[in-house]
Amino acid sequence: MPEPPRDPWSALAGLTPARVALGRTGAALPTARHLELQLAHARARDAVWHVLDAIALADALRADGHEVVRVRSAARDRREYLERPDLGRRLDPADAAALAARAGDWDLAFVVGDGLAALAAERHAPALVRAVRARLAGYVPNAPASDAAWRVAPVVVAEQARVALGDAIGAALGAQLVAVLLGERPGMSAPDSLGVYLTWDPRPGRTDAERNCVSNVRPEGLPYAAAAATVAWLAREARRRRQTGVALRAPSAARLTAGD
């Protein structure tokens, strides 16, 4: 009996987590591949509904020496967050007042939010904040071993957060630049990707064209060191040019990791 023809895509399957070279049985997927697809879909749905462990996340950030402030958006729970994206962009009024009490002459504010995949914030945000601060500290000539040259605001942990919530938080703190670390919409092969969104002069009404995004931060995607190099480069250039968005484009992560 002749062997079935070799799938020409099979050589690529080992090079990517993308679903290529799945094979087929008649007009359908083989049972094993079909079950894998169902499992991935279930994991993606679970990631969307996963509730952020804000206490544990705040403790992890404090262990690195950060002052941490917890806030919520105007969405009361996960269901409302998913059904009313506009509420996820608004800051709870009581929390806005609490942030105003910490307003200062800050160069940079980190906001860590759940977004659409709280697992991403829990797993990757503390390590990435640590790596970015180390990169910023190393940039300033004759700077001490801390990032004192960058006045960094207390780290804000935000629940039921969309990207634009960082605009309200940054404005309340008086920060020149805000970096929002947020769980990205889960994919079928990545339920825990973290995105970083940088906005110069944050304030409500900013558009996505006025932000820079570094996406797919996770060990299996863009590793912490490479992501931190890109975020630090964007932060320095944002401060120098006083802008972010479409006019500010970072070199490749490979170049930055090599020392640019």
Side-chain angles (χ1 to χ4, degrees):
M1 183 176 177
E3 294 185 359
R6 182 179 173 81
D7 188 333
W9 291 88
S10 59
L12 302 177
L15 303 176
T16 173
R19 297 181 185 281
V20 299
L22 298 179
R24 62 181 180 180
T25 300
L29 286 173
T31 300
R33 301 291 87 78
H34 179 69
L35 293 175
E36 289 172 2
L37 191 66
Q38 287 187 314
L39 177 61
H41 186 240
R43 285 174 172 164
R45 290 174 62 90
D46 287 349
V48 170
W49 286 97
H50 179 78
V51 176
L52 178 70
D53 189 343
I55 295 175
L57 177 57
D59 287 346
L61 291 163
R62 290 190 184 101
D64 280 340
H66 302 292
E67 181 185 354
V68 178
V69 181
R70 288 176 55 192
V71 303
R72 298 181 59 88
S73 74
R76 292 169 297 181
D77 53 36
R78 199 62 177 166
R79 180 169 296 280
E80 188 172 60
Y81 170 82
L82 294 172
E83 293 177 350
R84 291 283 307 274
D86 58 311
L87 296 180
R89 303 183 184 107
R90 301 180 199 165
L91 188 59
D92 179 274
D95 288 338
L99 288 177
R102 290 176 166 80
D105 191 15
W106 307 116
D107 294 311
L108 173 62
F110 289 101
V111 177
V112 180
D114 42 14
L116 288 169
L119 278 175
E122 294 172 358
R123 291 176 176 172
H124 310 312
L128 184 60
V129 171
R130 189 185 314 130
V132 172
R133 292 192 70 164
R135 278 273 178 174
L136 291 175
Y139 171 74
V140 181
N142 303 317
S146 70
D147 55 354
W150 281 77
R151 294 160 296 187
V152 180
V155 178
V156 177
V157 172
E159 297 175 65
Q160 314 298 357
R162 301 272 176 178
V163 173
L165 188 67
D167 297 335
I169 292 172
L173 288 171
Q176 287 192 318
L177 176 68
V178 67
V180 179
L181 286 63
L182 206 71
E184 296 177 342
R185 185 183 304 277
M188 294 294 280
S189 59
D192 65 339
S193 285
L194 189 74
V196 185
Y197 302 82
L198 293 111
T199 308
W200 178 258
D201 189 17
R203 47 187 162 80
R206 286 297 195 192
T207 69
D208 288 344
E210 296 172 297
R211 316 184 197 284
N212 289 92
C213 177
V214 180
S215 67
N216 196 26
V217 180
R218 59 191 180 102
E220 301 83 3
L222 184 64
Y224 301 145
T230 303
V231 172
W233 187 94
L234 288 167
R236 294 193 300 263
E237 289 301 306
R239 188 162 69 165
R240 186 174 71 85
R241 304 184 196 185
R242 305 182 69 79
Q243 66 178 11
T244 49
V246 295
L248 182 58
R249 182 177 178 182
S252 70
R255 281 185 56 195
L256 290 169
T257 305
D260 273 13

